[in-house]
Amino acid sequence: MNVRRYQAKNMQDAMRQVREQQGPDAVILSSRRVDGVLEVVAAMEVPTEPSAPARPSMSRSMRTAAADSDLAAMRRELRDLRALLAQQQALSERDQWAVRHPLAAGIIERLVECGFDESLARSLIGGLQEDQTSEEAWSRLRTRLAASVASVQPGVLERGGVLALVGPTGAGKTTTLSRLALHRIRRLGPDSVTLVTFDRQRIGAHKQLQAFGQMAGVPVILLENERDLLNLANRTAGDHLILVDTEGRSARDAAERKLFAQIRHLVEIETWLVIPATHQAGVLRQVLKAFQSCEPSALVLTKIDEAERLGEILSVLLEQHLGLVFQSDGQRIEEDFHKADTAHLTRLALGEPSPRLQPRAQVESAPVRIENPWFAPRDESAPARSESYSRPSTPKTPTAWTAPAQGVMTRDSLVLESVVPFRKSVHAAY
């Protein structure tokens, strides 16, 4: 029996070496990964030559010695055969399947290296034909994977209403809220949006949102409870957009507290769950399960540029029903925030270059100089607005936010200062 050991990058390469060295009848005994290298042990049965007949003149002692030698050889062969049978029984079904389907096995191995769950990888290669080239098979897999990730359209940003962002601590809710507000301001102006925060836990948590409100010229309101939000929503126009920032919570706290449960039947509130791509798959599953009590309708994926293996994130996204609405891949307020692009996300997860990144780099090399990026004209053909803004003596607040008779909300205590102090020109990249 001829037993040999091979080292290869993947199972497909190992099978090629086995066929070249030992022929198509060789049997895989075991396979394992050692320091990132696939190690395969294969065996080939070698026919033994028949022993020559004993000479008539051979003495009795010589014939006995020859018989003992043949018996010992037979015992060794039986022992090797028993070991071979034991190894074949221990050989997993996965390795046996990989021997029969080397192309599919190679693709699965590549997906697992990218962070995808192995069971998901096996389901994605359904219908793969072994006569395809690896490039064709990989291209079809990429297309299928991109189509499998659900995405939704941000309708609430167009029609107005109440949109609340929820998620774990450090997920990027406040930054995402500013980006969504800028999206609305670009189209309908600063009077069309209001920023609201409930985050009173972190020291200075509202300062970041307040700074954005000062630059954009929109009010920032710090509320005490959900009833204040209900009063605010009832006193604003139906097409006005109220963006709500909530405090970050752990998975356990989010599961115990049902956010907005007391007022959902009184006002329509849409909730988006903000999740960071830096979470491990297990932690992300816990977050998705815990925040189900907030009844989210969509997901916002942040910190894509900081993730090590996006395959884990896509594996989790494919397991649940919520669609992706926005994604961010950097710290820049506008340039690094995009509507959901599953094809772009899939290429990043597979470790492939994305065509979207190159044009952005070209634009950054030649920035466009504008006077005020927060108040760009709604119509591209219309002339740019004047930069002569004057600091108002009181915070700019719509008349709909006057204090109610009950005294639940007061402009002095809840509406933070929101002005436009910038008069100098600003560089912005588009």
Side-chain angles (χ1 to χ4, degrees):
M1 179 175 295
N2 183 14
V3 180
R4 302 190 63 176
R5 190 184 306 271
Y6 301 90
Q7 291 184 343
K9 296 182 296 184
N10 48 47
M11 182 59 71
Q12 191 174 2
D13 185 25
M15 290 301 303
R16 179 186 57 79
Q17 296 184 38
V18 171
R19 287 193 295 267
E20 292 178 354
Q21 298 293 331
Q22 295 180 283
D25 296 331
V27 178
I28 301 296
L29 300 182
S30 64
S31 64
R32 63 173 183 170
R33 281 204 169 271
V34 179
D35 298 331
V37 178
L38 181 63
E39 185 178 272
V40 174
V41 178
M44 179 66 185
E45 186 69 24
V46 179
T48 58
E49 298 181 358
S51 58
R55 297 180 181 179
S57 59
M58 185 179 297
S59 64
R60 182 176 180 179
S61 60
M62 295 178 63
R63 289 196 300 268
T64 303
D68 292 342
S69 177
D70 293 341
L71 182 59
M74 185 179 299
R75 287 175 177 174
R76 287 194 299 269
E77 290 183 6
L78 290 175
R79 187 169 55 250
D80 294 341
L81 181 59
R82 189 181 298 111
L84 176 60
L85 292 175
Q87 289 176 347
Q88 285 183 334
Q89 289 178 356
L91 187 64
S92 65
E93 295 182 359
R94 179 184 59 185
D95 293 335
Q96 294 178 8
W97 180 86
V99 173
R100 298 190 299 268
H101 306 87
L103 177 60
I107 291 180
I108 290 178
E109 185 176 4
R110 185 175 175 183
L111 288 174
V112 172
E113 291 177 353
C114 293
F116 287 90
D117 184 74
E118 184 174 351
S119 59
L120 171 63
R122 289 183 175 274
S123 65
L124 289 174
I125 64 169
L128 181 67
Q129 300 178 359
E130 288 292 335
D131 57 350
Q132 295 177 341
T133 63
S134 58
E135 291 77 10
E136 292 175 346
W138 190 253
S139 177
R140 292 188 179 184
L141 172 70
R142 184 195 309 113
T143 303
R144 183 176 182 181
L145 182 59
S148 300
V149 180
S151 61
V152 295
Q153 294 297 323
V156 66
L157 299 183
E158 308 299 327
R159 65 176 182 269
V162 181
L163 172 61
L165 301 184
V166 298
T169 304
K173 297 184 295 298
T174 303
T175 303
T176 300
L177 198 80
S178 302
R179 288 164 163 170
L180 295 176
L182 181 59
H183 181 277
R184 178 81 170 186
I185 293 171
R186 288 288 192 187
R187 296 188 61 256
L188 302 176
D191 295 334
S192 65
V193 62
T194 302
L195 304 182
V196 171
T197 178
F198 284 100
D199 195 351
R200 293 176 176 268
Q201 300 298 324
R202 292 184 298 124
I203 299 177
H206 63 276
K207 294 298 183 181
Q208 178 183 354
L209 203 59
Q210 183 182 9
F212 173 82
Q214 290 176 340
M215 290 187 294
V218 298
V220 179
I221 304 178
L222 184 62
L223 297 183
E224 289 283 351
N225 51 52
E226 297 177 2
R227 286 290 175 180
D228 291 347
L229 177 62
L230 176 61
N231 293 332
L232 176 62
N234 291 335
R235 286 167 174 77
T236 55
D239 58 348
H240 191 82
L241 179 63
I242 301 176
L243 295 174
V244 183
D245 188 18
T246 61
E247 61 187 50
R249 292 185 174 273
S250 64
R252 179 179 300 178
D253 292 341
E256 294 176 353
R257 178 186 176 185
K258 296 183 179 180
L259 200 62
F260 307 120
Q262 299 179 355
I263 62 173
R264 280 191 182 275
H265 64 288
L266 300 175
V267 61
E268 183 179 357
I269 299 179
E270 185 166 343
T271 306
W272 290 355
L273 176 57
V274 182
I275 54 175
T278 52
H279 274 2
Q280 295 179 347
V283 177
L284 188 56
R285 291 187 181 96
Q286 293 179 359
V287 170
L288 290 170
K289 182 179 180 180
F291 280 91
Q292 287 180 357
S293 59
C294 299
E295 301 181 19
S297 60
L299 298 175
V300 179
L301 184 62
T302 62
K303 302 183 180 181
I304 295 177
D305 57 315
E306 301 178 20
E308 292 185 4
R309 298 199 304 175
L310 280 175
E312 290 188 27
I313 305 303
L314 261 64
S315 297
V316 177
L317 293 181
L318 291 172
E319 296 173 359
Q320 48 85 52
H321 66 281
L322 294 178
L324 193 63
V325 62
F326 280 101
Q327 61 193 52
S328 66
D329 52 11
Q331 298 296 323
R332 294 176 298 180
I333 190 73
E334 185 177 10
E335 294 87 343
D336 297 330
F337 191 62
H338 321 279
K339 288 185 178 180
D341 188 343
T342 58
H344 169 69
L345 194 61
T346 300
R347 285 187 174 273
L348 293 179
L350 296 177
E352 300 176 350
S354 174
R356 284 181 51 183
L357 300 180
Q358 183 63 26
R360 188 183 303 165
Q362 293 176 354
V363 171
E364 291 175 357
S365 62
V368 180
R369 186 182 182 89
I370 62 176
E371 292 302 316
N372 195 322
W374 307 104
F375 293 92
R378 304 178 194 175
D379 186 1
E380 296 295 336
S381 60
R385 299 186 183 183
S386 174
E387 183 62 23
S388 59
Y389 295 110
S390 60
R391 181 184 180 93
S393 57
T394 59
K396 184 178 180 181
T397 309
T399 56
W401 299 328
T402 54
Q406 296 85 346
V408 177
M409 294 174 52
T410 61
R411 181 180 302 181
D412 294 336
S413 61
L414 295 179
V415 181
L416 306 177
E417 183 182 16
S418 299
V419 296
V420 187
F422 298 107
R423 298 183 180 180
K424 62 182 180 180
S425 59
V426 182
H427 286 83
Y430 290 89

